[in-house]
Amino acid sequence: MRDKEFACRCCNANPDNRRGFIAGAVAALVAVGSALRPSTALAAGDAIRDAAPQPGDFLTWQAKSKRGPHLTLDDLKMNARQLVALPVDPASGTVRDGSRFNQIMLTRLDTGELDEATLARSAEGVVAYSAMCTHDACPVSSWDGDTRQYVCPCHQSRFDATAGGNLVSGPAYRPLPALPLRLSGNGELVVDAPFTARVGGGR
């Protein structure tokens, strides 16, 4: 009986206390819900990171220790092993590193070695291709400078960098998707159009 009387005194005898208690409880529930629900800004940031390279994107180093500066023509040596880069959203400065399928191989070649279609997609001889093999989506990390061919170390598929990433040999199913580039007024490498084909393994 005393417990019942005590409850009545708390709830009914002092309405201000009751209203304060209810308001506090509601505020606590709202706070918990906000903490459990991702913010709109966070979700938008993830969408930018996951998105494939977009026209207008800059490029930066894949290695986190080097990220920040936009890659320029001068960052690539002629006929050197491919440099792996990631696209950068120009509006937010966010690096699109949410998917490994966003990794891009860059190689600088003599423009006279490129076929017509590859030359048109290059930025003064800098060609760009997906770094994922079209066989099993392994990273294409090897380079044969004598033949100007990319080599996948997993199953030895070879792709011609001078001819649109065409498949030369191996179990891969199709050419490497190419990424058209252009140069900005400051000599920075810029994505000019989306990948020419689906990125990843399979036919």
Side-chain angles (χ1 to χ4, degrees):
M1 186 63 182
R2 283 197 301 271
D3 292 341
K4 185 176 181 180
E5 291 175 355
F6 179 78
C8 291
R9 285 197 299 272
C10 287
C11 297
N12 300 325
N14 195 338
D16 291 337
N17 286 349
R18 183 173 59 183
R19 285 193 292 269
F21 173 79
I22 293 173
V26 170
L29 290 172
V30 170
V32 170
S34 298
L36 294 176
R37 185 175 60 251
S39 69
T40 302
L42 181 60
D46 287 343
I48 293 172
R49 290 179 61 239
D50 292 343
Q54 303 293 311
D57 280 359
F58 294 104
L59 299 175
T60 191
W61 308 87
Q62 179 195 26
K64 289 186 177 181
S65 60
K66 292 185 175 182
R67 285 185 196 175
H70 297 158
L71 291 168
T72 69
L73 193 66
D74 294 337
D75 288 317
L76 289 100
K77 296 180 180 179
M78 189 70 70
N79 195 33
R81 181 176 178 171
Q82 63 264 41
L83 185 157
V84 180
L86 289 170
V88 180
D89 174 48
S92 65
T94 301
V95 178
R96 301 190 194 276
D97 60 356
S99 170
R100 68 190 185 94
F101 285 176
N102 288 347
Q103 295 177 20
I104 302 161
M105 295 189 298
L106 301 174
T107 306
R108 186 175 181 180
L109 300 170
D110 187 320
T111 56
E113 296 183 299
L114 307 180
D115 69 16
E116 185 175 351
T118 305
L119 178 62
R121 288 192 293 258
S122 76
E124 295 190 17
V126 177
V127 295
Y129 297 97
S130 168
M132 299 295 107
C133 182
T134 56
H135 179 226
D136 282 340
C138 291
V140 180
S141 57
S142 298
W143 169 248
D144 185 341
D146 293 333
T147 61
R148 311 297 196 258
Q149 292 175 4
Y150 302 113
V151 184
C152 178
C154 290
H155 304 101
Q156 303 306 306
S157 292
R158 301 175 73 96
F159 305 89
D160 189 346
T162 69
N166 284 342
L167 177 64
V168 176
S169 63
Y173 305 106
R174 51 193 173 84
L176 290 173
L179 187 68
L181 299 178
R182 61 179 173 83
L183 290 180
S184 72
N186 297 324
E188 296 168 316
L189 295 167
V190 180
V191 176
D192 197 39
F195 277 118
T196 55
R198 178 179 61 82
V199 173
R203 295 185 183 277

